């Protein structure tokens, strides 16, 4: 079944912004643990965490819950813009490729290029905020970064990074309560499984990204494959997948929260989403 529909303009971007905020609220503590595992269990000659729970326990013991949200400010800013652009561009591109016709069935030939374009564009927004976030997250518990060389805030980190390195660029709505619950369940399941599949595939490159972005030496290689090879030589395959536990644990609730929030926001804004 197909029907004509109109572009809803800015509303998709607003819905995406809410999805981004929900992702950070749910997922940032997991992300903090992931970054510390990636840094400490690959290149830093300090404490090595046994697993994600060990790392979490140490953070809570020394910094409390606040420590798990270190670097959350750039995450909120970055993810808000990222999700806004990602969901907005995805929706607008999909509508354009469908030629104004709304289909009741998934169309891979429309969905794949729409998602790819959105992902390519948001990488330019995400990279600077990720850099600041990671540099903030490796401070605090068990950090080998001298306090005199640390950052007092995310803004301080961003300004010092720019000064020293230049620009930081290294459910379908239902008509009843029952169908709404079904849509929400589908959103949670699809978002969660999608997140798990994604992170299971790209985690080694994410490990390399963390190491590159937090390297104190400016001469450190920025080639992710060279970095991965170095990690493999020193820590083996396990090092290339450092942070896998908290990443998978984060993927389901964080991505599910993003999809469900997106669907609810679209419904509240009166937008049909197919």
């Amino acid at each position: 079944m197909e029907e004509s529909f109109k572009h809803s303009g800015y509303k998709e971007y607003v819905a995406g912004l809410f999805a981004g905020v929900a992702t950070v609220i749910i997922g940032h503590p997991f992300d903090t643990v992931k970054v510390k595992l990636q840094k400490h269990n690959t290149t830093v000659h300090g404490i090595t965490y046994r697993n994600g729970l060990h790392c979490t326990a140490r953070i809570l013991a020394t910094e409390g819950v606040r420590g798990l949200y270190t670097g959350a400010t750039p995450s909120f800013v970055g993810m808000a813009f990222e999700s806004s652009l990602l969901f907005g561009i995805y929706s607008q591109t999909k509508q354009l490729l469908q030629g104004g016709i709304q289909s009741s069935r998934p169309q891979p030939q429309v969905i794949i290029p729409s998602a790819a374009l959105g992902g390519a564009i948001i990488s330019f927004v995400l990279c600077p905020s990720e850099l600041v976030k990671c540099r903030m997250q490796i401070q605090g518990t068990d950090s080998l970064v001298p306090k005199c060389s640390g950052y007092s805030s995310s803004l301080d980190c961003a300004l010092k990074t720019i000064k020293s390195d230049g620009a930081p660029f290294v459910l379908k709505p239902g008509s009843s309560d029952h169908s709404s619950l079904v849509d929400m369940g589908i959103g949670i399941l699809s978002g969660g499984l999608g997140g798990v599949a994604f992170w299971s595939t790209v985690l080694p490159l994410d490990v390399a990204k963390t190491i590159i972005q937090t390297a104190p030496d400016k001469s450190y290689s920025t080639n992710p494959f060279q970095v991965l090879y170095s990690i493999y030589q020193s820590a083996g395959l396990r090092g290339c997948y450092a942070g896998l536990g908290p990443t998978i644990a984060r993927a389901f609730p964080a991505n599910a929260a993003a999809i469900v929030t997106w669907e609810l926001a679209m419904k509240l804004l009166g937008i049909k989403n197919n």
Side-chain angles (χ1 to χ4, degrees):
M1 180 180 180
E2 297 182 342
E3 56 180 300
S4 298
F5 67 98
K6 295 181 180 180
H7 291 265
S8 42
Y10 70 93
K11 292 182 178 180
E12 288 97 339
Y13 295 90
V14 174
L17 187 149
F18 285 122
V21 171
T23 300
V24 176
I25 292 174
I26 299 297
H28 192 80
F30 296 95
D31 189 71
T32 297
V33 175
K34 179 204 74 172
V35 169
K36 282 190 174 291
L37 282 170
Q38 290 176 339
K39 185 68 175 178
H40 282 263
N41 289 17
T42 54
T43 61
V44 174
H45 300 295
I47 183 173
T48 298
Y49 300 114
R50 294 191 297 273
N51 51 47
L53 289 177
H54 178 213
C55 180
T56 302
R58 288 190 64 84
I59 294 173
L60 290 174
T62 57
E63 301 177 76
V65 176
R66 184 177 181 179
L68 293 173
Y69 280 91
T70 301
T73 300
S75 277
F76 274 116
V77 175
M79 282 299 296
F81 278 106
E82 177 202 354
S83 293
S84 179
L85 288 173
L86 179 60
F87 283 103
I89 292 171
Y90 166 75
S91 295
Q92 296 291 308
T93 304
K94 188 173 72 169
Q95 291 172 2
L96 181 65
L97 292 176
Q98 286 176 331
I101 302 297
Q102 189 174 27
S103 175
S104 59
R105 295 180 178 179
Q107 298 177 298
Q109 72 275 20
V110 171
I111 294 173
I112 293 175
S114 299
L117 178 62
I121 292 176
I122 61 96
S123 64
F124 292 98
V125 175
L126 182 61
C127 189
S129 66
E130 273 287 303
L131 188 149
V132 175
K133 174 187 72 66
C134 287
R135 291 187 175 181
M136 291 296 295
Q137 286 174 320
I138 64 169
Q139 297 187 145
T141 302
D142 302 319
S143 175
L144 295 182
V145 178
K147 289 188 177 180
C148 61
S149 302
Y151 305 108
S152 60
S153 65
S154 297
L155 179 60
D156 180 51
C157 178
L159 293 175
K160 287 182 177 178
T161 298
I162 292 173
K163 184 178 180 180
S164 62
D165 303 332
F169 290 103
V170 174
L171 304 164
K172 183 178 175 184
S175 57
S176 67
D177 291 339
H178 173 70
S179 60
S180 295
L181 289 174
V182 170
D183 290 338
M184 184 175 294
I186 293 173
I188 292 172
L189 185 61
S190 60
L193 292 177
V196 170
F198 171 78
W199 280 110
S200 297
T201 303
V202 306
L203 186 63
L205 287 175
D206 186 70
V207 173
K209 174 191 73 67
T210 296
I211 301 306
I212 292 171
Q213 290 183 325
T214 59
D217 187 356
K218 293 182 181 179
S219 64
Y220 195 84
S221 174
T222 57
N223 184 320
F225 298 105
Q226 288 182 355
V227 173
L228 273 178
Y229 181 68
S230 176
I231 293 172
Y232 179 76
Q233 284 187 313
S234 61
L237 186 62
R238 184 174 182 177
C240 295
Y241 279 89
L244 178 63
T247 298
I248 296 301
R250 170 193 180 276
F252 208 96
N255 287 279
I259 295 297
V260 171
T261 302
W262 157 257
E263 294 285 357
L264 291 176
M266 292 281 280
K267 183 176 181 180
L268 291 173
L269 291 170
I271 306 172
K272 287 187 177 182
N273 181 38
N274 282 309

